Amino acid sequence: MPSTAALPSPPAPGSEARLAFAELLLGCDDARTCAEAAVAWLVHNAGVQQVLCLAPDESDSHCLVPLAWHGLSSAESFVLALHDAKHPLVEALQWTEPHWFHPGQLPMELPMARTGLFTLSLGKASPGTPSPGLLLVASPVPELSPDVPWLAGHLGMHLTRLYKGRQLSRLEAASTELAARVNAATEELATQNELLRRQAIQLEQASAAKSQFLANMSHELRTPLNAILGYTNMLLQGVNGELPPPQRRSLSRIDSNGRHLLEIINEILDITRIEAGRMPLHLSEFRLPELVQEVMAELDPIIVRSKLAVSASLEPNLPPVHSDRQKVKQIVVNLLSNALKFTHEGSIKVLASYEFATATFHIAVEDTGIGIDPCHQEKIWEDFQQVDSSPTRAYGGTGLGLSICRRLATMLDGRISLRSAPAQGSTFTLYLPRRTRRT
């Protein structure tokens, strides 16, 4: 075990030499130059024959390397790794007093191990901060000039200031670089946000222009179309005399196609009004059985032509609904119309129930039709989209029906779900709260 140096009574202090060295340190800002000056001072003033000054490596703070030495031939190759906490020299970094190791007590590969040496820490290490260095002074006996610990203390304080200054400079440089990167990223983000804002404005303007165009064109188309349908109806009623069967058939086709065109125009008007937020709600209290009966009666001609088994099954004693009756009816009509369009054989059921726990009505249209592949089940809710949108598709329509249904359901504080698989039919369910709170 190392022992604390037995220091003799200090000789004449040599104040001038010490003052000169202290002044030299004050003007020195390079660690190696300071260490070399310290070694030279010890050789000249303390009669030291062999000395080695170790300090942190600039490129690796986890080891100490030689900065200056005297009387040693191979000191420049020595490296003290700080991770080995049990190494005697690493332990010496923590000691506040000089310690002497007698000859042979240290490993032979260490400088001055054969002659015995004193270790002097150039400042105590702290967690996260390595010691500024270690001074090794050869001595065959445990006697040390008082100038050596004095120099070690002053050199250690100066090296500590230098290393802290360098660390501060590095931190300031890193902080400046980080601030510059943050500023650049902030400017880039601001630029991108401005571009997105402008694009959003352009998209809103384009959407508004589209909606206005569709609304104007739909209005302009509906006016003459209503006249066509009116005159066709008058002719079919025989206002101008009885018509021969061939002419009646032709007028009936004109009336049917005209009404289909009017339905398409009304869908376009609905979607533009919903997008523009101009679709009003007319809330009232009504009962579902009467509404479903109206829907079935309205679509009865199509049901008869389809030759499908269409039925309605409603829970008894359903409570009244407080919502927009016309919009609920429009959703149910659209769902049932789609079921009739895409079902070629089998049956269609309209189901209605009430969930007391959530105060929600479940109105479902269940069919045995062609079904919808899961990969297309999100697409069908988009505007002007169908499973098959090609010009040669087998089923007609604008692709607005389900989009309008979903938007109307949202307006009514409800939602629509779909359960379907190819060739296994589909079930569309409207979840409607008992009381719609929007006005």
Side-chain angles (χ1 to χ4, degrees):
M1 288 299 290
S3 61
T4 302
L7 298 178
S9 301
S15 58
E16 291 183 2
R18 291 186 177 188
L19 180 60
F21 180 72
E23 290 177 349
L24 184 147
L25 288 181
L26 289 176
C28 181
D29 58 359
D30 178 71
R32 185 174 295 276
T33 302
C34 294
E36 291 173 348
V39 168
W41 194 92
L42 288 174
V43 172
H44 185 266
N45 293 279
V48 173
Q49 299 300 315
Q50 289 182 315
V51 60
L52 174 62
C53 182
L54 301 174
D57 187 356
E58 292 287 341
S59 60
D60 184 3
S61 62
H62 297 290
C63 63
L64 298 184
V65 295
L67 280 189
W69 60 90
H70 177 76
L72 302 172
S73 60
S74 59
E76 65 272 9
S77 62
F78 178 71
V79 176
L80 178 60
L82 299 178
H83 60 78
D84 185 4
K86 294 185 178 181
H87 193 288
L89 294 186
V90 175
E91 291 180 345
L93 290 168
Q94 303 291 338
W95 299 332
T96 58
E97 297 293 333
H99 279 67
W100 181 71
F101 291 87
H102 61 74
Q105 190 175 2
L106 293 173
M108 289 298 103
E109 66 271 13
L110 296 179
M112 302 171 283
R114 291 181 175 85
T115 61
L117 60 86
F118 275 99
T119 61
L120 297 96
S121 176
L122 302 178
K124 189 175 181 180
S126 59
T129 305
S131 169
L134 189 66
L135 193 65
L136 306 180
V137 179
S139 177
V141 294
E143 294 182 2
L144 186 66
S145 167
D147 288 329
V148 178
W150 174 88
L151 179 137
H154 280 71
L155 179 61
M157 288 188 294
H158 189 69
L159 291 179
T160 299
R161 285 195 295 268
L162 287 180
Y163 290 137
K164 286 185 176 179
R166 290 179 184 176
Q167 290 176 347
L168 181 60
S169 298
R170 293 192 190 102
L171 286 174
E172 288 176 347
S175 177
T176 301
E177 181 182 358
L178 180 60
R181 291 183 179 180
V182 170
N183 289 336
T186 302
E187 291 178 2
E188 177 66 19
L189 184 61
T191 301
Q192 294 298 326
N193 284 339
E194 179 61 19
L195 290 175
L196 289 174
R197 188 185 68 82
R198 294 180 182 180
Q199 290 175 356
I201 292 174
Q202 292 173 355
L203 288 173
E204 288 177 1
Q205 292 174 343
S207 178
K210 178 208 71 174
S211 298
Q212 189 61 45
F213 170 77
L214 290 174
N216 292 341
M217 289 303 299
S218 298
H219 178 74
E220 294 299 324
L221 289 171
R222 190 163 59 170
T223 301
L225 182 58
N226 282 329
I228 293 171
L229 290 174
Y231 281 110
T232 302
N233 189 47
M234 289 171 60
L235 291 173
L236 286 172
Q237 290 179 1
V239 173
N240 292 335
E242 193 63 31
L243 295 175
Q247 292 182 8
R248 178 173 288 278
R249 283 196 299 271
S250 297
L251 286 172
S252 295
R253 289 173 184 170
I254 292 173
D255 183 72
S256 175
N257 284 281
R259 295 188 182 281
H260 178 64
L261 180 57
L262 182 62
E263 181 182 341
I264 293 173
I265 293 171
N266 287 334
E267 286 182 349
I268 294 174
L269 274 175
D270 284 344
I271 204 73
T272 55
R273 282 189 293 179
I274 293 173
E275 284 185 347
R278 295 199 298 266
M279 175 70 82
L281 284 179
H282 302 288
L283 301 180
S284 62
E285 193 167 279
F286 59 93
R287 293 189 172 275
L288 281 181
E290 288 81 357
L291 184 140
V292 172
Q293 187 178 357
E294 283 183 25
V295 171
M296 299 285 282
E298 189 172 311
L299 296 179
D300 186 64
I302 303 175
I303 293 173
V304 171
R305 289 198 301 271
S306 71
K307 298 180 180 179
L308 298 170
V310 181
S311 61
S313 177
L314 283 71
E315 281 187 357
N317 303 319
L318 288 173
V321 189
H322 184 82
S323 188
D324 189 316
R325 190 180 194 279
Q326 183 57 38
K327 290 177 177 57
V328 175
K329 179 181 176 181
Q330 183 176 346
I331 294 172
V332 178
V333 166
N334 195 290
L335 296 180
L336 183 55
S337 297
N338 281 350
L340 291 166
K341 182 194 297 186
F342 296 104
T343 304
H344 305 302
E345 59 182 15
S347 62
I348 299 173
K349 296 179 181 178
V350 180
L351 310 171
S353 61
Y354 182 70
E355 185 178 345
F356 283 91
T358 59
T360 304
F361 288 94
H362 299 181
I363 307 170
V365 177
E366 182 182 287
D367 65 57
T368 58
I370 60 175
I372 304 171
D373 193 281
C375 66
H376 297 303
Q377 289 184 12
E378 283 300 319
K379 175 183 177 182
I380 61 172
W381 301 102
E382 299 174 9
D383 296 345
F384 303 103
Q385 293 294 327
Q386 294 180 324
V387 172
D388 180 9
S389 299
S390 66
T392 58
R393 62 182 182 268
Y395 300 96
T398 60
L400 285 174
L402 288 176
S403 174
I404 291 173
C405 286
R406 171 172 276 188
R407 295 184 189 215
L408 290 177
T410 301
M411 289 180 63
L412 300 173
D413 296 333
R415 61 184 178 90
I416 300 178
S417 69
L418 166 63
R419 187 180 72 252
S420 182
Q424 295 183 24
S426 303
T427 301
F428 288 85
T429 304
L430 168 64
Y431 297 90
L432 186 69
R434 183 174 179 179
R435 294 190 65 86
T436 297
R437 300 186 183 280
R438 298 186 181 181
T439 57

